Amino acid sequence: MGVDDGREPKPSALPLAFNSVFDPSNPIGFIESAFNFASRMGADIFDDDTPDDKMENKILSLLEDIKKRKREKKEESSEDAEKKRLRTPEADDPLPPNKNNGLDMENYSWSQTLGDITVQVPVPFGTKTKLVICDIKNKSLRVGVKGQPLLIDGELFAAVKVSESCWTLEDHETVSILLPKCKQWEWWKSLVKGDPGIDTRRCLPGVRRLDGLGYEAERHMRKLLFDYGQKCKGLPTSEDCPEVLQKFIADHPYLNLPRSKSCD
């Protein structure tokens, strides 16, 4: 039988309020706050006889799962950073040219000879000529369809002859552009500056009769072909040592090759 000491019983303490806010950037902090709150509420909530007897285990399991995911995400980020670091030098390396000495891009493809550039730009099927935008300038090119983002918009790799340039819409689905080079006998690395470049050492002049090019052009072309053959063999070119070309001219006088000065 209890003893009444004459004092009134104290009112029970007000229940604690859980006021933590979930922050998506810090889920572990929220779970820890919930765990601390549950601990302050009293150990009886973890008793086996209560409906919430597994609360502590669930919270701990959730904490471990979140920590594990954060570790995995950190490891994946480290691996991605390492891969990116390893890829960076290769991004600047020139790409092999396509079969026409150019490159196939996402929005267009381009090809070249030593004399001119040809660009193929796909447009939506059924496009009419009056809707095509093709602005050719000496050192820039803009191509697209009215009402849509431009497909090409930038500074050309080198200058072109605007008066001799032209374009046409083929089958209402491809804009074909011809750009004669101002500086002949030079390979372009890209159509537009800033785009991926090609390895011009792997460009091929192609098969063409040289006697129809004119006297000086023929001589220059034969010299380019000679140097290209030397490079393929790993031998000195006329730029490395002009005596190499002079000896070749002496052995093949009928090829009409330009003579060079002797090496120093």
Side-chain angles (χ1 to χ4, degrees), residues 15-165:
L16 297 176
F18 180 69
N19 56 6
S20 181
V21 179
F22 179 73
D23 182 1
S25 64
N26 185 23
I28 293 182
F30 176 81
I31 298 300
E32 289 177 342
S33 298
F35 182 76
N36 292 334
F37 172 78
S39 299
R40 292 199 301 271
M41 290 293 293
D44 57 320
I45 65 173
F46 300 111
D47 292 343
D48 293 338
D49 298 331
T50 66
D52 300 324
D53 56 358
K54 296 183 180 180
M55 182 182 294
E56 181 180 11
N57 291 335
K58 289 182 179 181
I59 292 176
L60 292 175
S61 176
L62 183 58
L63 283 171
E64 289 298 323
D65 184 61
I66 292 176
K67 290 180 180 179
K68 181 180 178 181
R69 291 183 182 182
K70 290 190 72 174
R71 286 196 302 268
E72 292 175 351
K73 187 175 181 180
K74 185 176 181 180
E75 291 173 357
E76 290 176 358
S77 299
S78 300
E79 291 176 0
D80 292 340
E82 181 65 12
K83 290 179 181 179
K84 185 176 180 181
R85 185 186 68 81
L86 296 174
R87 284 199 304 265
T88 299
E90 298 179 1
D92 297 330
D93 291 344
L95 301 173
N98 59 24
K99 63 180 181 180
N100 295 314
N101 302 321
L103 198 62
D104 299 322
M105 305 292 293
E106 181 179 357
N107 293 331
Y108 67 91
S109 63
W110 67 280
S111 59
Q112 66 177 322
T113 65
L114 285 168
D116 50 55
I117 300 288
T118 301
V119 188
Q120 300 287 331
V121 186
V123 294
F125 181 76
T127 298
K128 295 182 179 180
T129 303
K130 64 181 180 180
L131 297 178
V132 174
I133 299 172
C134 189
D135 184 17
I136 304 172
K137 297 199 182 313
N138 181 245
K139 293 184 178 180
S140 66
L141 178 64
R142 297 171 66 248
V143 184
V145 178
K146 292 181 181 179
Q148 300 182 20
L150 291 174
L151 300 171
I152 302 176
D153 184 13
E155 181 182 358
L156 292 171
F157 181 81
V160 298
K161 300 176 182 177
V162 178
S163 60
E164 299 179 19
S165 300

Side-chain angles (χ1 to χ4, degrees), residues 10 13 25 36 38 78 80 94 97 109 114-115 118 138 149 159 175 184 193 198 213 219 226 231:
K10 294 182 180 180
S25 64
N36 292 334
S78 300
D80 292 340
S109 63
L114 285 168
T118 301
N138 181 245
V175 178
Q184 305 275 312
K193 290 183 178 180
I198 62 171
L213 296 177
R219 286 161 61 89
F226 169 78
K231 285 182 180 180

Side-chain angles (χ1 to χ4, degrees), residues 157-177:
F157 181 81
V160 298
K161 300 176 182 177
V162 178
S163 60
E164 299 179 19
S165 300
C166 62
W167 66 273
T168 183
L169 179 61
E170 299 178 354
D171 300 325
H172 297 282
E173 61 180 354
T174 304
V175 178
S176 181
I177 308 167

